[in-house]
Amino acid sequence: QRERTRRKRPALTEERLEEMQYTLSEAIREGFAVRVTVFTPERDVVLVGRVSVYGRELRVRTVNGVRVVDVRNVVGVDTMNGQSR
């Protein structure tokens, strides 16, 4: 039953990937916080904080500490004013 409830990672368009990369680059350069949506088989996890990238690791500094995620699992990056990038 657990296998049946596992979700599949959404396919992202090239345009969406470029938008997310641009938003991440801006956030790193300018030091502003972003909302990062991370795919997991059970549910999407939303992290809010300042970001940095090391290889394939995205580090999100949240109020609860640093969370490290694989960039391949990131399915959304948005600025904090709600504007999708």
Side-chain angles (χ1 to χ4, degrees):
Q1 182 182 3
R2 178 176 254 247
E3 286 299 313
R4 279 183 286 189
T5 60
R6 292 174 73 85
R7 304 174 322 130
K8 291 189 183 334
R9 179 180 290 114
L12 301 175
T13 65
E14 190 67 32
E15 180 181 6
R16 181 66 178 140
L17 289 170
E18 289 174 7
E19 289 171 352
M20 292 185 337
Q21 183 177 5
Y22 177 81
T23 301
L24 280 175
S25 297
E26 288 287 301
I28 292 167
R29 187 172 72 245
E30 301 296 328
F32 61 78
V34 291
R35 181 180 300 109
V36 179
T37 305
V38 182
F39 171 84
T40 70
E42 294 78 32
R43 61 183 167 78
D44 287 346
V45 175
V46 176
L47 304 172
V48 175
R50 288 178 168 70
V51 292
S52 56
V53 176
Y54 298 92
R56 290 193 172 190
E57 289 182 351
L58 178 68
R59 297 181 185 187
V60 185
R61 290 185 305 279
T62 71
V63 294
N64 297 320
V66 176
R67 296 282 305 268
V68 178
V69 298
D70 188 320
V71 294
R72 295 171 291 189
N73 291 328
V74 174
V75 294
V77 179
D78 300 290
T79 59
M80 293 307 297
N81 63 9
Q83 182 179 3
S84 179
R85 293 274 182 141

